[in-house]
Amino acid sequence: PILEGFRRHLEPAITSKNPIVRQHGVGCWSKFALLCDQDTVLERDMPLLLQIASQEEEIVDVRAQAALALCDLVLIHDKIHASDDDSATSHFDSFKKLLLEMLEHSKPAIVIIAAEITAKLLLAGSFHDPHLLACLFVIYFDTSLIETEEDDDNDENAVTEVGNPVRLRQLLTIFFPTYSMSSLEANDTMMASVAPTISIVNRKLDGKNSPKAMSQWPIAKMIEYICCTVDLADKKKVEGDDDETNGISSEQPMETHENEPAENDNTASDDKTTSIEASSTLLASIDIAEFLMDDSQNAPPLFVRALAKILSSASIDVDNEDLSLLSRLKSHVAEAEYSINDRPALAALEKVSCLLEAVEDECEGESDDERDDESDEEEDEICDDILVDAMKRASLKVGPEVEKENVRLSAGSMCSTATKQSEGGTRRSTRRARLADINN
């Protein structure tokens, strides 16, 4: 009852024409919402705060108060994003959509507030979205915010306030490696953010083909930073697993039997040889090649040239990478060469094609050997079946000479005919796959 009485006084403040009164009214309403249960928050508080934060006509301070309140409610009521309730799912999806809109807003203050909220929710595990993470990378490397930072450096108190670009840069500097090391899913989300990062930068360039526009979003540094962060998280994970294994082995020695160690060693060696983990460089190269294949016509030539240069300078170990991913990269690069007209970009892609030249031949060689083995087995089975049938038919005939002759003739002639038919079918089935089939 006491809270309801306070809310009656807060409702006129939220709808006041004075922006300062509205700002404090939203702030007080959000504080009272923290004391309510989840059902009340979903039914009354979140829809109201979403409406306030989504209003384009509202001032930045009021929208920021509403957005920060929504972030606090999601962090406190963690079941909102994991609930099966349709209303909870709808409100949570609306909040994510609102964050995406605010992260690409024209006003820097709204962008900074949304970026800080997104970093909190990602680190808390409320969601793992590569598009939101890509927006944070674009904001972090946006040189236009550096100019805003220089203007705010004189005010030391402003650095600690929410919405300050210096504070945001410091938070993101710690956030990216911490988030990547937090879980395997987070590290995979970090790697998956390469493709949306390229698309966002291309959209922000908006056809501007000038070195100044390219320097505002240094795409090469962005992709390199993502790959280094992912590799650092992988390295820390491997070191942590090794420490745990050594600790367990030192505390509790394993009991072994006479015949078991050899089998276990063979199994472990087989797992190491069969499992191949793709490198971050290869995965990022595939995303770059896919963008050049699909959207190079809609991108500025300097941006296309920069992406092609990243591909040509990528260090890809062809001998130790997954063959299917290498084949995918090669097909994307080949398609990109048909869609690009810029000569420097084509020269860079040609280096990648030369590097991947032997990938398809190796795959084809393995497939041809497999087909030959299968065809040999099929021929042996056909000959055995024909021989058995011929012997049965010959046993029904009269006279040993006729029986002997029939066995040879039937077995030899029919086996050779069947062999020719099977060889013809095998040749037809081993035709080379087209490039379109590889892409599909």
Side-chain angles (χ1 to χ4, degrees), residues 227-272:
C227 293
C228 291
T229 305
V230 171
D231 292 339
L232 180 62
D234 290 337
K235 182 179 179 181
K236 291 294 182 181
K237 183 179 181 301
V238 172
E239 293 177 355
D241 294 341
D242 293 340
D243 294 339
E244 292 179 0
T245 304
N246 295 332
I248 293 174
S249 61
S250 60
E251 294 176 1
Q252 185 178 0
M254 296 178 62
E255 296 181 359
T256 57
H257 299 281
E258 294 180 357
N259 298 328
E260 289 183 355
E263 297 179 357
N264 295 334
D265 293 341
N266 294 333
T267 304
S269 61
D270 292 340
D271 294 338
K272 290 181 180 179

Coordinates of all heavy atoms in Angstrom, one line a residue, residues 227-272:
C227 N 40.2 -11.3 -33.5 CA 40.9 -12.5 -33.6 C 41.9 -12.7 -32.4 O 42.0 -13.8 -31.9 CB 41.7 -12.6 -34.9 SG 40.6 -12.7 -36.4
C228 N 42.6 -11.6 -32.1 CA 43.6 -11.7 -31.0 C 42.9 -12.0 -29.7 O 43.3 -12.7 -28.8 CB 44.4 -10.4 -30.9 SG 45.5 -10.1 -32.2
T229 N 41.7 -11.4 -29.5 CA 40.9 -11.6 -28.2 C 40.4 -13.0 -28.1 O 40.5 -13.6 -27.1 CB 39.7 -10.6 -28.2 OG1 40.2 -9.3 -28.3 CG2 39.0 -10.7 -26.8
V230 N 40.0 -13.6 -29.3 CA 39.5 -14.9 -29.3 C 40.7 -15.9 -29.0 O 40.5 -16.9 -28.3 CB 38.8 -15.2 -30.6 CG1 38.5 -16.7 -30.8 CG2 37.5 -14.5 -30.7
D231 N 41.8 -15.6 -29.7 CA 43.0 -16.5 -29.5 C 43.5 -16.5 -28.0 O 43.9 -17.5 -27.5 CB 44.1 -16.1 -30.4 CG 43.8 -16.4 -31.9 OD1 42.9 -17.2 -32.1 OD2 44.4 -15.8 -32.8
L232 N 43.4 -15.3 -27.4 CA 43.8 -15.2 -26.0 C 42.9 -16.0 -25.1 O 43.4 -16.6 -24.2 CB 43.8 -13.7 -25.6 CG 44.3 -13.4 -24.2 CD1 45.7 -13.8 -23.9 CD2 44.1 -11.9 -23.9
A233 N 41.6 -15.9 -25.4 CA 40.7 -16.7 -24.5 C 40.9 -18.2 -24.7 O 40.8 -19.0 -23.7 CB 39.2 -16.3 -24.9
D234 N 41.2 -18.6 -26.0 CA 41.5 -20.0 -26.2 C 42.7 -20.5 -25.5 O 42.8 -21.6 -24.9 CB 41.6 -20.3 -27.7 CG 40.3 -20.2 -28.4 OD1 39.2 -20.3 -27.8 OD2 40.3 -19.9 -29.6
K235 N 43.7 -19.6 -25.5 CA 45.0 -20.0 -24.8 C 44.8 -20.1 -23.3 O 45.3 -21.0 -22.7 CB 46.0 -18.9 -25.1 CG 47.4 -19.2 -24.5 CD 48.4 -18.1 -24.9 CE 49.7 -18.3 -24.3 NZ 50.7 -17.3 -24.6
K236 N 44.0 -19.2 -22.7 CA 43.8 -19.2 -21.3 C 43.0 -20.5 -20.9 O 43.2 -21.1 -19.9 CB 43.0 -18.0 -20.9 CG 43.8 -16.7 -20.9 CD 45.0 -16.7 -19.9 CE 45.7 -15.4 -19.9 NZ 46.9 -15.4 -19.0
K237 N 42.0 -20.8 -21.8 CA 41.2 -22.0 -21.5 C 42.1 -23.3 -21.6 O 42.0 -24.2 -20.7 CB 40.1 -22.2 -22.6 CG 39.2 -23.3 -22.3 CD 38.1 -23.4 -23.3 CE 37.2 -24.6 -23.1 NZ 37.8 -25.9 -23.1
V238 N 43.0 -23.4 -22.5 CA 43.9 -24.5 -22.6 C 44.8 -24.6 -21.4 O 45.0 -25.7 -20.8 CB 44.7 -24.5 -23.9 CG1 45.8 -25.6 -23.9 CG2 43.8 -24.6 -25.1
E239 N 45.3 -23.5 -21.0 CA 46.2 -23.4 -19.8 C 45.4 -23.8 -18.6 O 45.9 -24.6 -17.7 CB 46.8 -22.1 -19.6 CG 47.8 -21.7 -20.7 CD 48.3 -20.3 -20.6 OE1 47.8 -19.6 -19.7 OE2 49.2 -19.9 -21.3
G240 N 44.2 -23.4 -18.5 CA 43.3 -23.8 -17.3 C 43.0 -25.2 -17.3 O 43.1 -25.9 -16.2
D241 N 42.7 -25.8 -18.4 CA 42.5 -27.3 -18.5 C 43.7 -28.1 -18.1 O 43.6 -29.1 -17.4 CB 42.0 -27.7 -19.9 CG 40.7 -27.0 -20.2 OD1 39.9 -26.6 -19.3 OD2 40.3 -27.0 -21.4
D242 N 44.9 -27.6 -18.6 CA 46.1 -28.3 -18.2 C 46.4 -28.2 -16.7 O 46.8 -29.2 -16.1 CB 47.3 -27.7 -19.0 CG 47.2 -28.0 -20.5 OD1 46.5 -28.9 -20.9 OD2 47.8 -27.2 -21.3
D243 N 46.1 -27.1 -16.1 CA 46.4 -27.0 -14.7 C 45.4 -27.9 -13.9 O 45.8 -28.5 -12.9 CB 46.2 -25.5 -14.2 CG 47.2 -24.6 -14.8 OD1 48.3 -25.1 -15.2 OD2 47.0 -23.4 -14.9
E244 N 44.1 -27.9 -14.3 CA 43.2 -28.8 -13.7 C 43.6 -30.3 -13.8 O 43.5 -31.1 -12.9 CB 41.8 -28.6 -14.2 CG 41.2 -27.3 -13.9 CD 39.8 -27.1 -14.5 OE1 39.4 -28.0 -15.1 OE2 39.2 -26.0 -14.3
T245 N 44.1 -30.7 -15.0 CA 44.5 -32.0 -15.2 C 45.7 -32.4 -14.4 O 45.8 -33.5 -13.8 CB 44.8 -32.3 -16.7 OG1 43.7 -31.9 -17.5 CG2 45.2 -33.7 -17.0
N246 N 46.7 -31.5 -14.3 CA 47.8 -31.7 -13.5 C 47.5 -31.8 -12.0 O 48.1 -32.6 -11.3 CB 48.9 -30.7 -13.7 CG 49.4 -30.7 -15.2 OD1 49.4 -31.7 -15.8 ND2 49.8 -29.5 -15.7
G247 N 46.5 -31.0 -11.6 CA 46.2 -31.0 -10.2 C 45.5 -32.3 -9.8 O 45.7 -32.9 -8.8
I248 N 44.6 -32.8 -10.7 CA 43.9 -34.0 -10.4 C 44.8 -35.2 -10.4 O 44.7 -36.1 -9.6 CB 42.7 -34.2 -11.5 CG1 41.7 -33.2 -11.3 CG2 42.1 -35.6 -11.3 CD1 40.6 -33.2 -12.4
S249 N 45.8 -35.2 -11.4 CA 46.7 -36.3 -11.5 C 47.6 -36.4 -10.3 O 48.1 -37.4 -9.8 CB 47.5 -36.2 -12.8 OG 48.2 -35.0 -12.8
S250 N 48.0 -35.2 -9.7 CA 48.9 -35.2 -8.6 C 48.2 -35.6 -7.3 O 48.8 -36.2 -6.4 CB 49.5 -33.8 -8.4 OG 48.5 -32.8 -8.3
E251 N 46.9 -35.2 -7.2 CA 46.2 -35.5 -6.0 C 45.7 -36.9 -5.9 O 45.7 -37.6 -4.9 CB 45.0 -34.5 -5.8 CG 45.4 -33.1 -5.6 CD 44.2 -32.2 -5.5 OE1 43.1 -32.7 -5.7 OE2 44.4 -30.9 -5.3
Q252 N 45.2 -37.4 -7.1 CA 44.6 -38.7 -7.1 C 45.2 -39.5 -8.3 O 44.8 -39.3 -9.4 CB 43.1 -38.6 -7.3 CG 42.4 -40.0 -7.3 CD 40.9 -39.8 -7.4 OE1 40.4 -38.7 -7.5 NE2 40.1 -40.9 -7.4
P253 N 46.2 -40.3 -8.1 CA 46.8 -41.1 -9.2 C 45.8 -42.1 -9.7 O 45.0 -42.7 -9.0 CB 48.0 -41.8 -8.5 CG 47.7 -41.8 -7.0 CD 46.9 -40.6 -6.8
M254 N 45.8 -42.3 -11.0 CA 44.9 -43.2 -11.7 C 45.4 -44.7 -11.5 O 46.6 -44.9 -11.6 CB 44.8 -42.9 -13.2 CG 44.2 -41.5 -13.4 SD 44.2 -41.1 -15.2 CE 43.1 -42.4 -15.7
E255 N 44.4 -45.5 -11.3 CA 44.7 -47.0 -11.2 C 44.6 -47.6 -12.6 O 43.6 -47.4 -13.3 CB 43.7 -47.7 -10.3 CG 43.8 -47.2 -8.9 CD 42.8 -47.9 -8.0 OE1 42.0 -48.8 -8.6 OE2 42.8 -47.7 -6.8
T256 N 45.6 -48.2 -13.0 CA 45.7 -48.8 -14.4 C 45.8 -50.3 -14.3 O 46.3 -50.9 -13.3 CB 46.9 -48.2 -15.2 OG1 48.1 -48.5 -14.5 CG2 46.7 -46.7 -15.3
H257 N 45.3 -51.0 -15.3 CA 45.5 -52.4 -15.5 C 46.5 -52.7 -16.6 O 47.0 -51.8 -17.2 CB 44.1 -53.0 -15.8 CG 43.1 -52.8 -14.8 ND1 43.0 -53.5 -13.6 CD2 42.1 -51.9 -14.7 CE1 42.0 -53.1 -12.9 NE2 41.4 -52.1 -13.5
E258 N 46.8 -53.9 -16.7 CA 47.9 -54.3 -17.6 C 47.6 -54.0 -19.1 O 48.4 -53.5 -19.8 CB 48.3 -55.7 -17.5 CG 48.9 -56.0 -16.1 CD 49.2 -57.5 -15.9 OE1 48.9 -58.3 -16.9 OE2 49.8 -57.9 -14.9
N259 N 46.3 -54.3 -19.5 CA 46.0 -54.2 -20.9 C 45.3 -52.9 -21.2 O 45.1 -52.6 -22.4 CB 45.0 -55.3 -21.3 CG 45.7 -56.7 -21.1 OD1 46.9 -56.8 -21.3 ND2 44.9 -57.7 -20.7
E260 N 44.9 -52.1 -20.3 CA 44.1 -50.8 -20.6 C 45.0 -49.7 -21.1 O 44.5 -48.9 -21.9 CB 43.4 -50.4 -19.3 CG 42.2 -51.3 -19.0 CD 41.4 -50.9 -17.8 OE1 41.9 -49.9 -17.2 OE2 40.4 -51.5 -17.5
P261 N 46.2 -49.4 -20.6 CA 46.9 -48.2 -21.0 C 47.1 -48.1 -22.5 O 47.0 -47.1 -23.0 CB 48.3 -48.3 -20.3 CG 48.0 -49.2 -19.1 CD 46.9 -50.2 -19.5
A262 N 47.4 -49.2 -23.1 CA 47.7 -49.1 -24.6 C 46.4 -48.7 -25.3 O 46.5 -47.9 -26.2 CB 48.2 -50.5 -25.1
E263 N 45.3 -49.3 -24.9 CA 44.0 -48.9 -25.6 C 43.7 -47.5 -25.3 O 43.3 -46.8 -26.2 CB 42.9 -49.8 -25.1 CG 43.1 -51.3 -25.4 CD 42.0 -52.2 -24.8 OE1 41.1 -51.6 -24.2 OE2 42.0 -53.4 -25.1
N264 N 43.9 -47.0 -24.1 CA 43.6 -45.6 -23.8 C 44.5 -44.6 -24.5 O 44.0 -43.6 -25.0 CB 43.6 -45.3 -22.3 CG 42.6 -46.1 -21.5 OD1 41.5 -46.4 -22.0 ND2 42.9 -46.4 -20.2
D265 N 45.7 -45.0 -24.6 CA 46.7 -44.1 -25.3 C 46.3 -44.1 -26.8 O 46.4 -43.0 -27.4 CB 48.1 -44.7 -25.2 CG 48.6 -44.6 -23.7 OD1 48.0 -43.8 -23.0 OD2 49.6 -45.3 -23.4
N266 N 45.9 -45.2 -27.4 CA 45.5 -45.2 -28.8 C 44.3 -44.3 -29.0 O 44.2 -43.6 -30.0 CB 45.3 -46.6 -29.3 CG 46.6 -47.4 -29.3 OD1 47.6 -46.9 -29.4 ND2 46.4 -48.8 -29.1
T267 N 43.3 -44.4 -28.1 CA 42.1 -43.7 -28.2 C 42.4 -42.2 -28.1 O 41.9 -41.4 -28.9 CB 41.1 -44.1 -27.1 OG1 40.9 -45.5 -27.2 CG2 39.8 -43.3 -27.3
A268 N 43.2 -41.8 -27.2 CA 43.6 -40.4 -27.0 C 44.3 -39.9 -28.2 O 44.1 -38.7 -28.7 CB 44.5 -40.2 -25.7
S269 N 45.2 -40.7 -28.7 CA 46.0 -40.2 -29.9 C 45.0 -40.1 -31.1 O 45.2 -39.1 -31.9 CB 47.1 -41.2 -30.3 OG 46.5 -42.5 -30.5
D270 N 44.0 -41.0 -31.2 CA 43.1 -40.9 -32.3 C 42.2 -39.6 -32.2 O 42.0 -38.9 -33.2 CB 42.2 -42.1 -32.4 CG 43.0 -43.4 -32.7 OD1 44.1 -43.2 -33.3 OD2 42.5 -44.5 -32.4
D271 N 41.8 -39.3 -31.0 CA 41.0 -38.1 -30.8 C 41.8 -36.8 -31.2 O 41.3 -35.9 -31.7 CB 40.5 -38.0 -29.3 CG 39.5 -39.1 -29.0 OD1 39.0 -39.7 -30.0 OD2 39.4 -39.4 -27.8
K272 N 43.1 -36.8 -30.8 CA 43.9 -35.6 -31.1 C 44.1 -35.5 -32.6 O 44.2 -34.4 -33.1 CB 45.3 -35.8 -30.4 CG 45.2 -35.6 -28.9 CD 46.5 -35.7 -28.3 CE 46.5 -35.6 -26.8 NZ 47.8 -35.7 -26.1

